[in-house]
Amino acid sequence: MEQQLQQLKDEALGKIQDAQSVKELNDVRVAYLGKKGPITDLLKGMGKLPAEERPKMGALVNVVRETVTASLEERMALLEAEAINTQLAKEAIDVTLPGRPVQAGNHHPLTRVVEEIEDFFISMGYEIAEGPEVEKDYYNFEALNLPKGHPARDMQDSFYISEDILLRTHTSPVQARTMEAKGGEAIKIICPGKVYRRDNDDATHSHQFTQIEGLVVGEDIRMSDLKGTLDLFAKKMFGAEREIRLRPSFFPFTEPSVEMDISCFKCSGKGCNVCKKTGWIEILGAGMVHPNVLEMAGYDPSAVTGFAFGMGPERIAMLKYGIEDIRHFYTNDSRFISQFHRTEA
């Protein structure tokens, strides 16, 4: 048995030295020291030996096991060090090379347009007012001169949660709430936010979109104030050479009401595909606040007047950046967003 142990030790030590990788060395460890290895089998067979031989043979087996284990650990340390050195050599970094540039994130084009609009009106003394997206029918319609059964409600087909609760169809309810809260004080606000209408999504329509409305209420507020404000806004967003025109229109909450067009920034009014050969592009709706709206909010229409306007940032962004499909704003396609990485607002 001593000869068998010596032969087993020499065989194991030879294979340990021949191992060229950590995996091969682990295979040797399992083969000789594992639960089914020959050294373990010898230890299990000690009980079959005569009692007087067990101590001597047990000591010899332990010596062989410890020798093989020590050789394995020594060889493992050497192979692991070689593997690390090899990996470091393959992955060596030339610290003299310039680093790879990290592309920073950028504002979504719609966010950029909204913030640009907000900055313009804040610079003119407006405050930003916000309100709930889940709104009462009263504030969404009735307080804006749209009583139940009014035909103009059909233009804002809505997502109703209950008979009196719905997803707001415009940000005008914020105006009604602000007037009610101010209790007759002067107001100068813009109301940005998301709005919802039942619509078939296509290149120019979406069931969810963004809206920014403005409201000014006070003494001696005139249509000329509205026109001057909108003229400055058009020049800020689309260039100093832009001209505006106001066309008569109808909105239940303003009287008189107008649609505002700007001269086409692509053809300068000559006619092209952007302006549909008219030379003008429709941008927003506006008008003088209807006396009924003022009165329902607690204002005296004989003492104060006001103007209001509403615009869709998506439409402005589409015109400003040449975007042809409104759905691009909402699909989170990085190919679309990356186009605006270096676009100046």
Side-chain angles (χ1 to χ4, degrees):
M1 190 171 182
E2 291 183 30
Q3 186 178 358
Q4 184 183 358
L5 277 171
Q6 183 62 42
Q7 183 180 352
L8 191 60
K9 182 181 75 171
D10 293 342
E11 183 181 308
L13 293 177
K15 290 189 176 182
I16 289 171
Q17 295 305 312
D18 291 340
Q20 299 299 314
S21 68
V22 172
K23 181 182 182 305
E24 290 180 15
L25 196 60
N26 279 326
D27 291 342
V28 174
R29 178 185 61 78
V30 172
Y32 287 91
L33 298 178
K35 292 181 179 180
K36 298 181 180 181
I39 295 177
T40 303
D41 287 342
L42 287 173
L43 287 171
K44 290 179 180 178
M46 293 297 293
K48 298 178 181 180
L49 295 175
E52 63 273 11
E53 293 183 16
R54 292 175 191 171
K56 179 181 177 181
M57 295 309 299
L60 286 174
V61 173
N62 284 330
V63 168
V64 171
R65 184 173 61 178
E66 291 172 2
T67 302
V68 172
T69 300
S71 180
L72 278 167
E73 291 176 351
E74 182 180 352
R75 184 65 177 165
M76 181 66 76
L78 179 63
L79 290 175
E80 287 178 344
E82 289 178 354
I84 291 174
N85 291 333
T86 300
Q87 185 176 3
L88 288 174
K90 289 181 179 179
E91 299 178 0
I93 299 175
D94 185 349
V95 295
T96 65
L97 291 174
R100 295 184 179 90
V102 177
Q103 184 171 339
N106 198 39
H107 281 162
H108 190 284
L110 185 56
T111 300
R112 181 173 302 194
V113 167
V114 169
E115 291 182 351
E116 188 176 357
I117 294 171
E118 289 177 344
D119 289 344
F120 169 76
F121 283 104
I122 288 172
S123 72
M124 295 185 66
Y126 285 70
E127 296 180 355
I128 295 179
E130 296 180 335
E133 294 179 18
V134 180
E135 186 56 273
K136 294 181 178 180
D137 180 273
Y138 173 78
Y139 290 110
N140 196 82
F141 291 124
E142 295 180 41
L144 300 171
N145 204 32
L146 280 160
K148 293 185 184 299
H150 195 291
R153 286 192 181 212
D154 295 339
M155 299 172 61
Q156 299 187 31
D157 201 4
S158 312
F159 294 100
Y160 273 89
I161 297 171
S162 68
E163 185 176 348
D164 295 314
I165 302 295
L166 72 159
L167 298 182
R168 67 182 181 187
T169 61
H170 45 189
T171 57
S172 299
V174 181
Q175 298 182 24
R177 287 177 174 273
T178 302
M179 286 191 290
E180 186 179 81
K182 288 291 186 179
E185 297 179 6
I187 297 174
K188 198 174 185 182
I189 59 171
I190 58 169
C191 315
K194 287 186 290 185
V195 299
Y196 308 84
R197 297 182 188 180
R198 290 181 58 192
D199 211 337
N200 295 321
D201 289 10
D202 57 28
T204 56
H205 298 85
S206 174
H207 65 280
Q208 172 193 302
F209 55 97
T210 312
Q211 195 173 61
I212 296 181
E213 299 193 12
L215 173 70
V216 175
V217 176
E219 295 182 4
D220 199 28
I221 302 297
R222 298 166 294 181
M223 178 67 83
S224 58
D225 298 318
L226 171 61
K227 183 177 180 181
T229 300
L230 298 181
D231 185 56
L232 286 174
F233 169 72
K235 288 176 167 52
K236 168 64 178 177
M237 295 299 295
F238 297 102
E241 67 280 8
R242 295 281 69 76
E243 296 181 2
I244 71 168
R245 72 176 183 183
L246 302 181
R247 294 179 287 107
S249 186
F250 167 77
F251 302 110
F253 30 82
T254 54
E255 179 61 37
S257 303
V258 295
E259 299 278 2
M260 187 190 90
D261 303 330
I262 63 168
S263 57
C264 182
F265 47 81
K266 183 176 181 180
C267 67
S268 299
K270 297 177 182 178
C272 67
N273 62 318
V274 174
C275 62
K276 300 179 181 178
K277 307 298 181 180
T278 66
W280 296 93
I281 301 173
E282 181 181 324
I283 293 295
L284 56 81
M288 301 302 292
V289 180
H290 198 290
N292 290 349
V293 174
L294 291 172
E295 190 171 2
M296 282 187 286
Y299 286 77
D300 182 358
S302 64
V304 298
T305 53
F307 66 74
F309 54 85
M311 67 189 76
E314 282 92 344
R315 175 165 176 75
I316 293 174
M318 291 173 74
L319 292 170
K320 191 175 178 70
Y321 298 125
I323 299 168
E324 297 180 352
D325 195 322
I326 193 174
R327 291 169 291 192
H328 291 325
F329 290 122
Y330 313 121
T331 53
N332 295 324
D333 190 330
S334 60
R335 295 171 299 177
F336 169 72
I337 303 299
S338 63
Q339 297 178 77
F340 304 92
H341 182 66
R342 295 184 179 178
T343 303
E344 294 183 0

